[in-house]
Amino acid sequence: MRVTATAASGLRSSMARFDSSAATIASGGLTDRPVTEAGAVAPVADVTDALESMMEAGLSYRANAAVLHTADQMIGSLIDRSA
């Protein structure tokens, strides 16, 4: 089902964002800083921004897990009715 693939992709994306935020927090906000097109170094990510991102990633993960759970229940109901 396409919905399960989308939810699984959302889970992976949430985990990656959570891990990235955790790394930023663990380093005290001193992660590798990207260079802008003009050659200037971008500002260091703020730890509070990383905490906010972690919270958002957690909510996104829970939402995608709920989608997978609901899809599993729906498939189970369909199988039960066709048996």
Side-chain angles (χ1 to χ4, degrees):
M1 280 183 95
R2 183 154 173 77
V3 70
T4 56
T6 301
S9 175
L11 287 173
R12 286 188 298 274
S13 174
S14 297
M15 286 180 3
R17 194 164 42 139
F18 189 91
D19 289 344
S20 175
S21 297
T24 299
I25 292 167
S27 69
L30 301 175
T31 58
D32 292 336
R33 296 178 290 170
V35 176
T36 65
E37 290 179 18
V41 177
V44 176
D46 188 15
V47 173
T48 55
D49 289 340
L51 283 169
E52 182 181 337
S53 181
M54 275 182 85
M55 292 173 64
E56 289 173 0
L59 290 172
S60 175
Y61 188 91
R62 282 186 226 117
N64 283 296
V67 168
L68 281 176
H69 179 72
T70 302
D72 181 56
Q73 287 180 327
M74 290 175 68
I75 291 170
S77 293
L78 289 172
I79 290 172
D80 290 344
R81 289 181 189 215
S82 66

